[in-house]
């Protein structure tokens, strides 16, 4: 007849079942760890993205601040140039009007009569002779400049000073580049 296999003793089964349950728990913990690692990785990626955005914004801010500083420097240079031009123009006008006034006795007489009239009756003061001379000088100057097509040579000292300022600004910013573009050597008065 048939022989059946003897069944294992009862005390051996529970340890196998316990071992299988332990293996299942270990696999569940591994799966749990994998899920936790995925969550950590996702959070880490978000943080790195936020950090990159913050650094990008910081760089943009620093770049903007640098550009604003350089533009302010250019504006200051332009204002200094305009002030120097105005001073030179006023001095030239003063010299020209003084020379014209001292050479013309008729103008001196008209200016004296106008001054005495203004003292006697300020409401009835006539035309300001000297003021009209200055106005005429400036009007002629503007007309000459606007109609000018000739170019004026820019002094080499001005170009050298501009180059030195650019290189000094680069050095302050940590830029060692010493290459400079070619600067114009002539300028039209009408373009100023």
């Amino acid at each position: 007849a048939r022989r059946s296999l003897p069944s294992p003793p009862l005390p051996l089964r529970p340890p196998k079942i316990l071992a299988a349950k332990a293996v299942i728990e270990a696999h569940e913990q591994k799966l749990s760890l994998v899920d936790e690692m995925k969550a950590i990785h996702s959070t880490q990626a978000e943080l790195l993205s936020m950090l990159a955005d913050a650094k990008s914004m910081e760089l943009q801010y620093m770049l903007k601040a640098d550009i604003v500083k350089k533009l302010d420097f250019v504006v200051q240079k332009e204002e200094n140039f305009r002030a120097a031009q105005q001073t030179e123009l006023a001095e030239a006008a003063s010299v020209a009007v003084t020379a014209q006034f001292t050479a013309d006795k008729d103008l001196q007489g008209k200016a004296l009569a106008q001054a005495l009239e203004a003292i006697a009756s300020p409401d009835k003061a006539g035309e300001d002779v000297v003021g009209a001379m200055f106005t005429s000088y400036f009007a002629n100057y503007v007309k000459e400049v606007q109609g000018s097509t000739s170019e004026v040579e820019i002094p080499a000292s001005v170009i050298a000073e501009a180059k030195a300022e650019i290189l000094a600004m680069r050095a302050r910013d940590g830029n060692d580049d010493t290459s400079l573009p070619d600067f114009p050597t002539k300028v039209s008065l009408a373009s100023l």
Side-chain angles (χ1 to χ4, degrees):
R2 207 172 178 215
R3 237 175 160 197
S4 66
L5 292 173
S7 61
L10 286 177
L12 291 177
R13 261 189 200 176
K16 285 184 178 180
I17 292 174
L18 290 175
K21 285 184 178 181
V23 169
I24 291 172
E25 277 185 36
H27 285 298
E28 285 175 349
Q29 286 176 352
K30 281 185 180 179
L31 287 176
S32 173
L33 275 174
V34 168
D35 289 341
E36 288 175 8
M37 291 301 289
K38 285 181 183 177
I40 290 172
H41 180 67
S42 174
T43 304
Q44 181 185 20
E46 283 181 42
L47 288 174
L48 288 175
S49 175
M50 289 171 52
L51 180 62
D53 289 345
K55 283 295 183 181
S56 176
M57 288 173 43
E58 179 183 16
L59 179 62
Q60 288 175 358
Y61 174 78
M62 289 172 37
L63 184 61
K64 178 184 174 190
D66 186 49
I67 289 171
V68 166
K69 180 177 77 171
K70 289 175 182 174
L71 288 174
D72 286 344
F73 178 77
V74 169
V75 167
Q76 183 63 43
K77 282 301 205 180
E78 287 178 351
E79 288 175 1
N80 291 345
F81 176 72
R82 282 192 185 100
Q85 275 186 321
Q86 288 175 347
T87 301
E88 288 178 24
L89 182 58
E91 288 173 0
S94 178
V95 168
V97 168
T98 301
Q100 182 183 0
F101 187 75
T102 55
D104 191 341
K105 297 294 180 190
D106 186 44
L107 282 176
Q108 292 174 9
K110 286 181 183 178
L112 180 60
Q114 188 267 330
L116 292 174
E117 211 175 281
I119 292 172
S121 178
D123 298 342
K124 296 181 182 178
E127 178 188 355
D128 180 7
V129 175
V130 176
M133 292 172 65
F134 275 101
T135 302
S136 173
Y137 178 85
F138 289 126
N140 288 336
Y141 181 82
V142 167
K143 190 187 304 181
E144 286 178 24
V145 168
Q146 288 176 342
S148 172
T149 57
S150 63
E151 292 186 328
V152 178
E153 189 78 26
I154 298 174
S157 62
V158 171
I159 294 172
E161 181 181 346
K163 288 180 178 181
E165 286 181 12
I166 290 171
L167 291 175
M169 186 180 289
R170 283 182 183 173
R172 278 193 307 268
D173 293 342
N175 185 346
D176 297 332
D177 185 14
T178 58
S179 65
L180 293 172
D182 291 333
F183 285 69
T185 58
K186 293 183 180 184
V187 67
S188 169
L189 287 178
S191 69
L192 300 175

